[in-house]
């Protein structure tokens, strides 16, 4: 039995055609080789197994050593990392898939143990986030950050630009800027974390500036038609908040639309939590943006089908279900049961809970 819905129709995303409208959301798995933070050979297998998704979005990858916030997360700033990612993109392309990389700077969501020379993490303002990070196999409180100097901001933008160039060199079909979940660009945009009084603080236009300058720089490097961005207007993830998210994100999306980015990837509600966490009109973002809208957070087959049929989104991103179901697209199409995931193997480790979940065909054997 095959379920025919819009979810399984091809979709044209800029210059590339996706086999279906299922996206694999970026999922942090903390399995990069510690020496050099290079994607491991297992990563090529992991992404290759999931290549039947219309679009794979890689785990978040730091644009610079300063951008790292958790142990064993891969980067996209060294030659060795580019070579490691090329193995991944080659495998995905061999299997007919399409893959974007997510570009990441964590800002204050870090620890001195992970920062170059044990330095303090950087942030818009010197306000410690009330949250944990993952260091030396354990969850620990984030370190006290320092506020970025105005003179340092061009260097941050340049790191994103270089990372985008590296991503294209590594064979990615495009890049997704991580502007969500309380990391650096989200910290600048939201007034709970940004108390600056210079050109990057105060009103909405100033707070949105870094996210938009980064978007422009990355789009110039990778091509706007190969650049997407992830946003999370109301999520409380990583201790981030804003007093007026609707006005802020209506403005941001208007500006992103002017840059002609290929998609916005929107976390609706609280990341990994309730979709109705706080009132927000996502249809307002949809109307303002002429590129593709990827909807994310708590989607199953029924909700995905309903939202696509209503024209409220173009693609649907699935997260945890992809961890335990390499053939998620086939399972959704057949109405087959999904493998349950094992939370204890989400972060760190080897093949167990990473590349050993069975497909339907393997389970039948």
């Amino acid at each position: 039995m095959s379920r025919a819905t819009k979810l399984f129709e091809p979709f044209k995303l800029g210059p590339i055609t996706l086999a279906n409208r299922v996206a694999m959301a970026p999922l942090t798995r903390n399995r990069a080789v510690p020496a050099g933070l290079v994607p491991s050979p297992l990563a090529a297998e992991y992404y290759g197994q999931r290549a039947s998704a219309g679009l794979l979005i890689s785990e978040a990858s730091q644009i610079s050593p300063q951008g790292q916030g958790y142990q064993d997360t891969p980067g996209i700033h060294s030659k060795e990392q580019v070579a490691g990612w090329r193995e991944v993109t080659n495998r995905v392309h061999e299997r007919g898939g399409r893959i974007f990389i997510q570009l990441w700077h964590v800002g204050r969501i870090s620890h001195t143990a992970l920062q170059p020379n044990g330095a303090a993490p950087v942030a818009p303002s010197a306000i410690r986030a009330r949250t944990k990070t993952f260091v030396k196999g354990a969850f620990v409180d984030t370190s006290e950050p320092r506020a970025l100097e105005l003179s340092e901001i061009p260097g941050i933008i340049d790191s994103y630009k270089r990372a985008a160039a590296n991503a294209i060199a590594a064979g990615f079909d495009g890049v997704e800027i991580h502007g969500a979940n309380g990391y650096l660009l989200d910290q600048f945009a939201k007034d709970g974390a940004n108390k600056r009084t210079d050109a990057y603080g105060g009103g909405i236009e100033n707070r949105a500036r870094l996210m938009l300058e980064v978007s422009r720089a990355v789009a110039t490097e990778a091509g706007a038609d190969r650049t997407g961005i992830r946003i999370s207007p109301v999520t409380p993830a990583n201790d981030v908040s804003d007093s007026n998210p609707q006005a802020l994100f209506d403005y941001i999306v208007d500006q992103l639309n002017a840059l002609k980015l290929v998609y916005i990837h929107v976390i609706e509600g609280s990341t990994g939590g309730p979709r109705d966490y706080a009132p927000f009109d996502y249809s307002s973002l949809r109307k303002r943006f002429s590129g593709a809208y990827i909807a994310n957070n708590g989607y199953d087959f029924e909700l995905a089908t309903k939202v696509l049929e209503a024209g409220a989104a173009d693609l649907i991103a699935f997260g945890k279900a992809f961890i335990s179901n390499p053939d998620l697209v086939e399972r959704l199409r057949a109405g087959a049961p999904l493998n349950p995931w094992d939370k204890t193997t989400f972060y760190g480790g080897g093949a167990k809970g990473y590349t050993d979940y069975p497909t339907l065909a393997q389970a039948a054997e």
Side-chain angles (χ1 to χ4, degrees):
M1 200 263 308
S2 177
R3 303 195 279 189
T5 82
K6 260 184 127 155
L7 195 56
F8 308 116
E9 289 176 3
F11 182 78
K12 190 131 170 47
L13 185 72
I16 63 178
T17 299
L18 310 180
N20 53 64
R21 293 167 181 254
V22 177
M24 173 170 146
L27 296 157
T28 296
R29 305 302 308 273
N30 306 85
R31 281 170 168 84
V33 178
L37 299 173
V38 174
S40 77
L42 273 179
E45 190 182 340
Y46 169 76
Y47 286 106
Q49 286 173 344
R50 288 155 181 79
S52 60
L55 178 65
L56 298 172
I57 306 166
S58 84
E59 63 210 273
S61 304
Q62 55 266 10
I63 58 166
S64 64
Q66 185 196 68
Q68 185 186 1
Y70 304 82
Q71 80 175 52
D72 303 338
T73 54
I76 183 68
H77 54 82
S78 75
K79 282 204 267 307
E80 296 74 20
Q81 290 162 352
V82 170
W85 279 120
R86 186 166 274 292
E87 298 297 316
V88 173
T89 62
N90 284 345
R91 185 75 58 89
V92 169
H93 291 147
E94 276 161 22
R95 300 199 181 169
R98 296 296 197 168
I99 183 166
F100 276 39
I101 189 173
Q102 192 186 55
L103 304 180
W104 198 23
H105 191 309
V106 298
R108 66 183 186 164
I109 309 303
S110 188
H111 193 275
T112 53
L114 296 168
Q115 289 290 309
N117 306 317
V122 299
S125 302
I127 305 167
R128 189 180 196 151
R130 290 165 303 199
T131 190
K132 305 265 184 199
T133 184
F134 188 59
V135 185
K136 296 176 186 160
F139 284 94
V140 299
D141 289 339
T142 56
S143 297
E144 185 84 33
R146 67 172 180 84
L148 277 163
E149 300 287 338
L150 204 51
S151 60
E152 293 176 279
I153 289 178
I156 300 260
I157 296 167
D158 201 49
S159 295
Y160 275 98
K161 198 172 174 177
R162 278 200 308 274
N166 286 343
I168 300 305
F172 283 98
D173 296 291
V175 298
E176 175 178 290
I177 298 158
H178 198 343
N181 291 350
Y183 296 115
L184 185 70
L185 302 181
D186 205 26
Q187 290 160 27
F188 266 85
K190 291 178 178 168
D191 58 17
N194 183 344
K195 306 295 183 192
R196 300 175 76 93
T197 55
D198 61 13
Y200 289 88
I204 282 172
E205 290 83 355
N206 281 7
R207 284 183 280 118
R209 178 170 299 187
L210 184 60
M211 191 183 290
L212 298 172
E213 287 179 344
V214 164
S215 298
R216 188 176 298 109
V218 169
T220 302
E221 192 61 52
D225 58 359
R226 291 183 183 271
T227 303
I229 188 167
R230 195 183 209 203
I231 54 175
S232 54
V234 300
T235 193
N238 288 318
D239 192 27
V240 75
S241 63
D242 190 76
S243 59
N244 190 356
Q246 191 76 53
L248 174 63
F249 282 90
D250 281 351
Y251 171 78
I252 285 172
V253 170
D254 279 342
Q255 304 307 309
L256 295 171
N257 188 54
L259 293 174
K260 297 188 163 50
L261 263 50
V262 75
Y263 71 69
I264 53 172
H265 178 182
V266 185
I267 298 170
E268 299 166 346
S270 169
T271 309
R275 291 177 50 77
D276 60 356
Y277 172 78
F280 192 88
D281 178 13
Y282 297 98
S283 70
S284 170
L285 306 186
R286 171 79 167 146
K287 286 189 203 97
R288 288 164 188 276
F289 191 72
S290 51
Y293 181 105
I294 306 180
N296 180 301
N297 204 28
Y299 277 85
D300 57 14
F301 174 80
E302 284 70 27
L303 184 58
T305 299
K306 185 178 144 191
V307 166
L308 288 174
E309 298 296 342
D314 297 298
L315 300 164
I316 306 292
F318 294 84
K320 288 195 280 282
F322 257 118
I323 289 179
S324 51
N325 297 278
D327 58 343
L328 181 64
V329 176
E330 291 74 15
R331 287 174 187 261
L332 292 173
R333 193 181 270 128
L338 302 185
N339 295 321
W341 54 75
D342 174 7
K343 263 191 164 139
T344 65
T345 58
F346 279 2
Y347 306 115
K352 182 175 158 50
Y354 189 53
T355 54
D356 64 348
Y357 285 105
T359 61
L360 279 174
Q362 288 164 339
E365 284 164 24

